[in-house]
Amino acid sequence: METPEKKKKTLPVLSDTVIVSLFLLITFCTGIAFVWAGVYDTKDGKPLTAVLWSLACFVLGALIGFLFGIPRVLQGNPPPPPPPSGSPTATLTAPPSPPPPPTLLQTAGYDLRVNTNLEQISDWLTKIIVGLGLVELRTAPARLKSAAGYIARGIGPGTDYFAAGLVVYFTILGFMGAYLITRLYIAGAFGRADRAASKQEEQDLQRVENIQLPTLGRDEVLSDDDKKAAKNVASKPLAELESPNEISVWAKAQLSLGNYVDAVKGYGKAIGQLGEDPEKRYAYATALYYSGAKDLAFVQLLEAYKRLTAASDKTLRRNVYRSLTYQALFQDPPKGFDDAIRFGEEYVRDHQNLVSPGVWANLAAAYGQKMKWLLTNNPTDQTALEATRNRALAVVQQTAGMGERWKKKIREMMDKNFPNKDPNESDLEVFAGDEDFRKLVGL
């Protein structure tokens, strides 16, 4: 609902526009009436031709008035840098007030610029018109007489002066009308359209920023609004982007839409300047993984892991560990499952971290891989076998207790005859004959 103050600011502009429009309508209709009546009373006069010429002069004047009335758009150049702290100017000048917080458009590298092509054309044409008008001012009466004579031949005999008045009246009326309407209404409409476009751009960027990156091994479904925002952001060519934040937002939009090759290009271009940001490294790894470069993705995941700190976002930390433990399962043994166990145990033992069933499930799979490897390569080491089995049982119990979905996941990894079983989910089949494991998942 509009506030009274806003209504007070809006109503005068609307009333001025209405008054000018009514004035133009009255004067235009009056002029048309005089043209029709005047030519109609003339012998062999053609009133329809006269009205058509009146409209032509009005439109010509309106076009020129519109060009003169197009507003200039200030693009908001950045303020000049402050003087050095030791300079006399800095000593005499009061300390500047802190700048307002940047909007998302600015922080993401987006600086929406209004398309001023029409303004530039208007500027060129008005300068040409004014320049030629001043140069040819002496010949204006002769040119008006020539134009009136040409029009009079189509209207009827003896209408030269009538045609001259027609040209002057409707051209000036069209010019003034279009100029005033442009200044009173169209300028505001341009401003509202530009602000709406800027607001929509900011909303799209905010939506893309809030989109959750897909987890390795799981497909995420975008909402219709998120998909639309991502398409809007991704529609801008990569070559036109400059700042790393701007490029990373674009790359995230591409990643969210499943354009993994483009996402890799975007993150690859931005990562040189954003290398210390673990979130961008994680996003880059995700894009690499889904583009098929899984070995490079694991390298980037390790880079993201190295850059995690105590202040890092907990959700990001969970995602990095979950992806690391998942992808380590596909590395060559024994290093693969050793890495998965190391990362998984490190995560679950830190009670400050968010609970992650995915990390627990990956950890259970890693112990299953280790047990299978020990039985094949070192079956006589009963101490290692028993320790691995006991820890695997504890991890499976923890995972199965996190909900039916995860209990079902453990059952799939253990049961060879699980309906529609994924061939890759076989890491716990080594414990399929162990009654303790079977009881935990209801086999």
Side-chain angles (χ1 to χ4, degrees), residues 111-173:
D111 185 11
L112 188 64
R113 295 274 170 166
V114 178
N115 189 329
T116 59
N117 291 342
L118 183 59
E119 179 188 328
Q120 294 174 14
I121 293 172
S122 167
D123 189 46
W124 297 333
L125 290 178
T126 51
K127 289 178 179 178
I128 292 172
I129 292 171
V130 172
L132 289 177
L134 293 175
V135 172
E136 302 293 333
L137 189 59
R138 294 180 181 178
T139 64
R143 292 180 182 275
L144 176 60
K145 183 178 179 180
S146 175
Y150 179 80
I151 295 173
R153 287 198 295 272
I155 296 177
T159 58
D160 295 59
Y161 293 107
F162 184 89
L166 180 152
V167 171
V168 173
Y169 181 88
F170 283 99
T171 303
I172 293 177
L173 181 63

Side-chain angles (χ1 to χ4, degrees), residues 106-383:
Q106 295 169 329
T107 55
Y110 280 77
D111 185 11
L112 188 64
R113 295 274 170 166
V114 178
N115 189 329
T116 59
N117 291 342
L118 183 59
E119 179 188 328
Q120 294 174 14
I121 293 172
S122 167
D123 189 46
W124 297 333
L125 290 178
T126 51
K127 289 178 179 178
I128 292 172
I129 292 171
V130 172
L132 289 177
L134 293 175
V135 172
E136 302 293 333
L137 189 59
R138 294 180 181 178
T139 64
R143 292 180 182 275
L144 176 60
K145 183 178 179 180
S146 175
Y150 179 80
I151 295 173
R153 287 198 295 272
I155 296 177
T159 58
D160 295 59
Y161 293 107
F162 184 89
L166 180 152
V167 171
V168 173
Y169 181 88
F170 283 99
T171 303
I172 293 177
L173 181 63
F175 175 85
M176 294 302 299
Y179 179 81
L180 292 174
I181 292 297
T182 302
R183 296 293 295 164
L184 291 174
Y185 178 76
I186 297 180
F190 283 171
R192 289 190 295 272
D194 293 336
R195 287 190 294 272
S198 177
K199 184 177 181 180
Q200 183 62 48
E201 186 84 9
E202 188 171 357
Q203 290 174 348
D204 290 340
L205 289 168
Q206 185 66 61
R207 276 193 170 276
V208 173
E209 286 283 357
N210 293 335
I211 291 175
Q212 294 295 323
L213 290 172
T215 305
L216 300 192
R218 290 174 54 190
D219 293 330
E220 304 290 343
V221 179
L222 288 180
S223 68
D224 291 339
D225 290 338
D226 287 344
K227 185 179 295 185
K228 182 179 179 181
K231 286 181 178 179
N232 291 340
V233 173
S235 63
K236 196 172 185 180
L238 177 61
E240 295 181 6
L241 310 180
E242 296 180 357
S243 73
N245 283 323
E246 182 180 12
I247 296 170
S248 66
V249 173
W250 180 89
K252 187 175 184 181
Q254 298 288 2
L255 177 58
S256 302
L257 294 171
N259 303 327
Y260 304 122
V261 174
D262 288 334
V264 169
K265 291 179 182 178
Y267 282 119
K269 184 177 179 180
I271 206 69
Q273 300 181 52
L274 297 173
E276 299 306 315
D277 187 341
E279 182 178 6
K280 300 300 184 292
R281 288 279 181 176
Y282 170 71
Y284 188 26
T286 305
L288 285 167
Y289 177 87
Y290 283 104
S291 69
K294 296 184 178 181
D295 291 338
L296 293 176
F298 190 67
V299 172
Q300 291 301 322
L301 280 174
L302 290 174
E303 294 297 324
Y305 164 78
K306 293 175 184 177
R307 288 163 174 79
L308 290 175
T309 65
S312 296
D313 180 73
K314 290 186 177 182
T315 301
L316 173 64
R317 178 183 292 273
R318 180 192 63 192
N319 291 341
V320 170
Y321 274 92
R322 183 168 56 189
S323 298
L324 271 175
T325 52
Y326 175 79
Q327 198 164 350
L329 295 173
F330 296 92
Q331 306 297 313
D332 294 333
K335 187 178 186 308
F337 61 72
D338 282 342
D339 285 343
I341 291 173
R342 174 167 63 89
F343 292 127
E345 292 289 1
E346 181 179 298
Y347 186 84
V348 300
R349 287 174 181 171
D350 187 348
H351 299 294
Q352 299 296 322
N353 292 327
L354 298 175
V355 176
S356 176
V359 173
W360 279 105
N362 294 337
L363 188 56
Y367 277 112
Q369 288 186 5
K370 182 176 182 179
M371 188 68 178
K372 183 178 180 180
W373 188 86
L374 287 173
L375 289 172
T376 302
N377 296 277
N378 196 9
T380 60
D381 191 348
Q382 294 299 318
T383 301

Side-chain angles (χ1 to χ4, degrees), residues 90-101:
T91 306
L92 298 176
T93 305
S97 58

Side-chain angles (χ1 to χ4, degrees), residues 57-69:
C57 292
F58 181 84
V59 171
L60 177 62
L63 176 61
I64 299 174
F66 174 73
L67 292 175
F68 274 78

